[in-house]
Amino acid sequence: MKLRAALLFAVALAGVAAVIAPARLAAAEAGGQITILYDAFGTDAAMKKDWGFSALVEISGKRILFDTGNDPDIFAANVKAKGIDLTSIDFVVLSHRHSDHMAGLNYVLSVNPTVKIYAPKEGFGIYGSSLPSSFYRKNESLPPEMRYYGGKPPEVMKFGTAWQGANIELVDKTTEIAPGITLMALVSDAPGTKELKELSLAVNTADGVVLMVGCAHPGVEKIVEAATAINPKIRLIAGGFHLVVAPDEVIARAVATLKDTFKVENIAPGHCTGEPTFAALKQAYGDRYLYAGVGTSLALGPGMSSGGRRGEGPALQEDDLATYRRLAQREDPFGILRAHQQRTRLSHL
């Protein structure tokens, strides 16, 4: 009887352990960190600054490279400076087709040529695509030599990629690619980027969604709204909010929407968020504003809201401000120079 009781007790203990173990695993999955590998501001002397964005997201047992920056040499130097092993990443997410988010992919593929890459699916997209040949109108009265494919096109027309042979999977709609890890596919309707598709990374943890955005071309508010369909609790949003040339009233509206409407708990803006938006978010969020300059690691543990560097002092140091402004004006990527010239002309009227 004693032996039987002991066996029953052991079985009971095993059952309890089986229940407790997943709970511990879930708690562990809420931790991790985000390391900023590419941006135009920062305090880490070992990191090179340049306009663009990349981050290594280590969460839920996965190591995810989110975007790859603007220059493969700078990206490689920053990866090496942080001691990042790109051969051990689980997959890459390319948020959108702009070069300041994907040029470093050449370096990634040089060290990890078979890594899985997720990218937005677009017709004639740089990541490769396909379309049914029925997309174009046909005229059977023409002679064969004047018709596409001699009048006998393939059922599906395939278009090439800039990275031939890369393991790219195109994402056409919001898709959960691993348990709790979702790529949200939204489309911009803003002038200048209309119809551009962008992927954002949403990781659903026990403490809420950790959301990574590249440039937020579809609108940061729309992206956050989409993330609330996964979990209404948004624990953190990090990346570029694309408010770099936005007027004060647009910035104020975006800040209020994030903080008051969607109640985003922590904020870690970078890249194309813009200096005035850095200032507005820092004022609104206080110690829940996470400084996210290049080289910074953002801890995602349970104490995220109460410790670590929160952007104390100016959000950008003076030398960073000069670098940021210079890079923001490169080739006028956001219409900065055009807007300035227009204001100058108006002031002379």
Side-chain angles (χ1 to χ4, degrees):
M1 291 295 291
K2 288 183 179 180
L3 178 60
R4 183 180 179 187
L7 287 172
L8 288 173
F9 183 68
V11 170
L13 281 178
V16 171
V19 172
I20 292 174
R24 286 179 178 169
L25 181 61
E29 288 179 352
Q33 67 176 6
I34 297 171
T35 302
I36 309 300
L37 297 176
Y38 211 105
D39 213 321
F41 70 102
T43 60
D44 190 333
M47 306 292 281
K48 295 183 179 182
K49 303 182 186 72
D50 186 38
W51 191 267
F53 188 71
S54 176
L56 178 67
V57 182
E58 298 173 279
I59 192 170
S60 296
K62 300 291 185 183
R63 302 180 78 242
I64 305 162
L65 182 62
F66 186 86
D67 283 343
T68 62
N70 179 66
D71 181 285
D73 292 335
I74 294 175
F75 175 73
N78 286 352
V79 166
K80 292 172 184 176
K82 297 303 291 185
I84 304 297
D85 179 11
L86 292 181
T87 66
S88 65
I89 58 175
D90 291 284
F91 53 86
V92 178
V93 176
L94 297 176
S95 63
H96 63 294
R97 64 176 181 250
H98 287 169
S99 62
D100 56 335
H101 291 256
M102 65 180 188
L105 183 60
N106 289 329
Y107 175 70
V108 178
L109 292 173
S110 73
V111 297
N112 193 347
T114 61
V115 66
K116 183 67 167 287
I117 302 163
Y118 292 99
K121 182 179 181 180
E122 297 183 300
F124 305 99
I126 192 171
Y127 308 113
S129 61
S130 61
L131 286 172
S133 59
S134 58
F135 88 90
Y136 70 88
R137 293 180 62 196
K138 299 170 179 62
N139 189 328
E140 296 181 1
S141 68
L142 291 172
E145 63 270 21
M146 292 182 64
R147 302 191 64 197
Y148 301 128
Y149 301 96
K152 298 178 180 179
E155 186 175 339
V156 176
M157 299 167 57
K158 295 183 179 180
F159 307 103
T161 171
W163 298 276
Q164 193 66 35
N167 183 16
I168 298 176
E169 180 173 330
L170 301 177
V171 178
D172 193 35
K173 59 184 179 181
T174 294
T175 305
E176 186 178 51
I177 57 174
I181 300 177
T182 299
L183 293 179
M184 300 188 306
L186 280 78
V187 180
S188 171
D189 61 1
T193 58
K194 198 171 183 67
E195 298 183 359
L196 180 139
K197 186 172 290 183
E198 183 168 335
L199 301 181
S200 301
L201 174 69
V203 183
N204 191 20
T205 76
D207 296 321
V209 170
V210 172
L211 180 61
M212 286 295 307
V213 294
C215 253
H217 288 290
V220 66
E221 302 100 316
K222 291 182 180 178
I223 295 172
V224 172
E225 182 179 20
T228 61
I230 299 170
N231 186 337
K233 182 179 181 181
I234 307 299
R235 188 183 186 208
L236 169 70
I237 178 171
F241 299 177
H242 204 65
L243 296 166
V244 69
V245 296
D248 289 345
E249 60 270 20
V250 172
I251 293 171
R253 186 163 58 247
V255 172
T257 300
L258 295 176
K259 186 173 185 290
D260 301 326
T261 303
F262 293 115
K263 304 193 184 304
V264 175
E265 295 181 356
N266 299 274
I267 205 111
H271 185 43
C272 59
T273 301
E275 295 170 15
T277 314
F278 289 155
L281 286 167
K282 186 171 182 290
Q283 181 178 12
Y285 273 85
D287 66 356
R288 293 186 292 118
Y289 178 102
L290 284 70
Y291 179 84
V294 63
T296 303
S297 290
L298 309 173
L300 301 176
M304 183 172 65
S305 298
S306 59
R309 185 154 188 252
R310 304 295 161 187
E312 59 276 5
L316 295 177
Q317 302 295 329
E318 195 58 38
D319 61 335
D320 287 323
L321 286 172
T323 302
Y324 188 92
R325 289 164 181 159
R326 174 175 55 80
L327 293 169
Q329 293 179 15
R330 181 193 296 163
E331 297 179 358
D332 200 20
F334 302 107
I336 295 170
L337 296 180
R338 291 193 300 276
H340 176 71
Q341 291 165 357
Q342 185 176 9
R343 286 195 298 270
T344 301
R345 285 197 299 270
L346 291 174
S347 67
H348 291 301
L349 294 178

